[in-house]
Amino acid sequence: MTGYEVRPDEETVSLLGAEVHVTDPVGLLAAAVDGPVELLAGANFPAPVREVRCTVRADTDDGRPVHRFEAYLRVEAAPAGLLALGLAGPVGLLLAERLAARAGDGPAAAAVGRAAAEASRRLGLRPAGTALATPPRDPAGRAVLAAAEAAGVRPRVEQENGTVRIRVDVPSAEVGPEHLRAVLGLLFQAVRELTGDSVEPTVLRGRTYLVGRRPVAVAAPRSETVTLDQVGGLADVVARFREVAVSFRHPQAMARWGARRPQGILMYGPPGTGKTMLARALANEVGADFVEIRTPEILDKYLGGSERNIKRIFRDARRYRRPTVMLFDEFDSIISYAGAGGDAASQAVNAVAGIFKQEMNTLFEENPDVIVVATTNFPQRVDASLIRSGRFDLKIAIPAPDDTGRAEILGKMIRELIERHERPGFRMFADDVDPAALTADTAGLTGADLRESLRRVQLAKALREAAEGAPPAPISQDDLREAVAGLRRG
């Protein structure tokens, strides 16, 4: 494939009989810097394993940045009973060692610890007096342990009340796909041991697992899961938004220098260029909630109603206790005015604009965790005094994308669809797809137009499958050209 690469890196590894597809391992580890990433969402494992979760996130250990892998396995029966039967493999050894070390915790713990340690010695897994690193007799477990040791992975394993937890810290400066594979190997070995599959890896044979970037859900309301990484063709804008996010993530540095971070941002440009998407992406980059203020929430046909609505919105904003991005979309339809109109309608909109200015004057001092973003397709309709510095410090033009921008936008959209929908046995896009070769066909189109072209070709393929009963050929370059041509026809 030439031009912009749209298919994310994917590697397929065989782990203890299972086929594991890892999508974009480098990007996955990079995403962990921004928050926990779930690796095996919704994966099914054989009984008695009832639930498995595995995440990676950025953390610190003794002040040094690390990537922390955490795996959680829940089983129908307490693992201590299984361990007493003599589980093979590195995880079993680690658990047995931990239980044996707890012999002083009481008679029951001592009995379990002695039983586990004796079982390990009886099966030749760890002769008396030898170190924990003695390889297990099981060849598959030995390979898993060797891979973990080669990658420098040192797991910590805990067992309690039917759950097993595995934690691995890797220095962030050194972390790579090999550490991810090693952690997955330990996790799959733990599943084997908990099912009693301790000699030959059969219980996982024929199973397929997908490992990809799935942000961990949080309880607090968040915007749609769009990120700045998904924004194409606007490198300078993305860089400025990342600076805003950094200023929010490092309040101590800001306070030390007495720096005031920008909290008012005006974006202007043609429709369909991604202004609303950028506001949502900024919220996720900052780690903020997202609140969109629409025109009907402000404008009221009754005298004084619009002014009351503006005051209520800002009163609520002063009470936010989490970082929050407030978006006033189509700002000109809410607040624009000519400035000197003498009729009742002009006076009404002037009053709304006046209240907005008053509220903006004090909002940022009273709540420094709020970012006000306004977007407009018609900046000339917005009074200059309303958007002066101090109220809106950043005024950013969002132009229609050029040839390079359209290729980048389309490439990112296609890659996102591949990550979301392609599965083993189903290929969504053909190998001949090249966004850069479509620049002549897409001249003058915005990001919204490109997304609509993709929607049309996706719909056509889905309807064809519904009619024929089998998936048609993947989306090709010719399919995309036809979808763009159809968009131009209307």
Side-chain angles (χ1 to χ4, degrees):
M1 185 181 299
T2 60
Y4 288 83
E5 186 66 47
V6 297
R7 193 170 300 281
D9 295 333
E10 180 175 299
E11 59 180 36
T12 300
V13 294
S14 179
L15 287 177
L16 302 171
E19 188 177 87
V20 183
H21 299 271
V22 184
T23 301
D24 193 14
V26 174
L28 187 153
L29 295 173
V33 175
D34 296 323
V37 176
E38 192 161 307
L39 304 179
L40 284 166
N44 293 317
F45 287 89
V49 178
R50 298 182 60 185
E51 180 184 2
V52 174
R53 293 192 62 187
C54 186
T55 62
V56 58
R57 61 187 174 90
D59 210 321
T60 57
D61 182 31
D62 291 334
R64 62 170 185 165
V66 297
H67 270 57
R68 177 160 295 165
F69 297 86
E70 293 178 299
Y72 166 94
L73 302 91
R74 186 163 60 91
V75 296
E76 296 172 357
L82 295 172
L83 282 172
L85 298 176
L87 296 177
V91 178
L93 281 173
L94 288 165
L95 285 168
E97 185 77 3
R98 180 179 182 277
L99 288 173
R102 290 177 55 195
D105 291 350
V112 172
R114 285 193 297 271
E118 177 59 30
S120 296
R121 287 192 291 270
R122 186 175 65 252
L123 294 178
L125 301 177
R126 187 174 69 87
T130 60
L132 179 64
T134 300
R137 188 175 61 182
D138 169 26
R142 220 168 25 238
V144 167
L145 183 57
E149 289 178 340
V153 168
R154 299 290 183 266
R156 303 178 189 176
V157 184
E158 298 179 355
Q159 170 269 326
E160 184 178 2
N161 297 330
T163 64
V164 176
R165 292 180 176 85
I166 305 172
R167 196 184 93 180
V168 172
D169 287 348
V170 179
S172 295
E174 304 171 8
V175 70
E178 67 277 12
H179 300 100
L180 173 59
R181 290 191 294 268
V183 170
L184 291 172
L186 291 174
L187 172 61
F188 280 52
Q189 178 68 10
V191 170
R192 282 188 59 215
E193 294 172 350
L194 294 171
T195 62
D197 184 37
S198 60
V199 179
E200 292 294 334
T202 58
V203 71
L204 293 174
R205 186 169 296 158
R207 291 176 176 261
T208 300
Y209 294 94
L210 305 176
V211 178
R213 194 183 310 183
R214 298 175 176 87
V216 177
V218 295
R222 295 290 299 277
S223 69
E224 295 178 7
T225 56
V226 61
T227 67
L228 290 177
D229 290 335
Q230 296 172 257
V231 178
L234 295 169
D236 291 342
V237 177
V238 168
R240 297 185 76 177
F241 275 22
R242 291 197 193 281
E243 289 179 356
V244 174
V246 169
S247 72
F248 271 79
R249 288 199 295 263
H250 297 276
Q252 292 181 346
M254 302 296 292
R256 183 176 296 114
W257 290 90
R260 184 177 63 84
R261 57 197 178 201
Q263 290 182 252
I265 303 172
L266 175 71
M267 289 187 284
Y268 59 93
T273 51
K275 296 183 290 295
T276 302
M277 175 185 177
L278 277 163
R280 293 183 181 277
L282 175 63
N284 281 326
E285 189 77 11
V286 172
D289 293 337
F290 183 81
V291 177
E292 183 172 0
I293 312 299
R294 301 179 184 275
T295 304
E297 297 178 49
I298 295 180
L299 300 185
D300 194 309
K301 64 180 180 179
Y302 296 106
L303 184 64
S306 299
E307 294 93 315
R308 285 193 296 271
N309 291 337
I310 285 284
K311 290 181 178 180
R312 174 185 52 79
I313 289 168
F314 277 89
R315 183 174 61 249
D316 292 343
R318 288 176 171 83
R319 297 172 178 171
Y320 293 147
R321 292 296 173 260
R322 284 176 45 84
T324 302
V325 171
M326 295 174 58
L327 171 65
F328 290 87
D329 210 0
E330 298 182 353
F331 190 52
D332 54 281
S333 68
I334 300 172
I335 217 73
S336 63
Y337 68 107
D343 62 336
S346 296
Q347 292 175 7
V349 293
N350 282 347
V352 170
I355 295 295
F356 190 96
K357 287 192 288 186
Q358 293 174 16
E359 297 292 341
M360 285 283 287
N361 287 342
T362 58
L363 171 64
F364 299 147
E365 292 182 2
E366 297 180 22
N367 191 344
D369 287 332
V370 173
I371 302 175
V372 175
V373 178
T375 68
T376 178
N377 302 331
F378 307 100
Q380 68 277 10
R381 297 182 183 176
V382 181
D383 189 87
S385 68
L386 187 65
I387 57 175
R388 65 162 174 78
S389 298
R391 293 178 182 139
F392 288 92
D393 294 321
L394 298 183
K395 303 172 189 66
I396 304 175
I398 311 297
D402 58 12
D403 289 355
T404 301
R406 291 195 307 279
E408 185 180 354
I409 291 169
L410 187 58
K412 290 192 174 188
M413 287 179 177
I414 293 174
R415 179 167 178 153
E416 179 186 352
L417 290 172
I418 289 173
E419 290 178 336
R420 185 177 299 174
H421 298 290
E422 282 200 356
R423 296 292 183 269
F426 173 68
R427 200 170 180 84
M428 192 172 188
F429 288 88
D431 287 337
D432 70 337
V433 169
D434 182 1
L438 290 169
T439 53
D441 301 87
T442 59
L445 299 186
T446 66
D449 296 327
L450 295 174
R451 190 170 294 280
E452 172 60 16
S453 298
L454 286 172
R455 186 197 69 81
R456 292 188 181 196
V457 74
Q458 289 173 259
L459 178 61
K461 291 289 184 179
L463 292 176
R464 184 171 176 182
E465 177 178 338
E468 297 177 357
I475 297 170
S476 67
Q477 189 83 340
D478 287 341
D479 291 328
L480 293 176
R481 285 197 177 97
E482 176 56 32
V484 169
L487 180 69
R488 293 191 185 281
R489 291 192 298 266

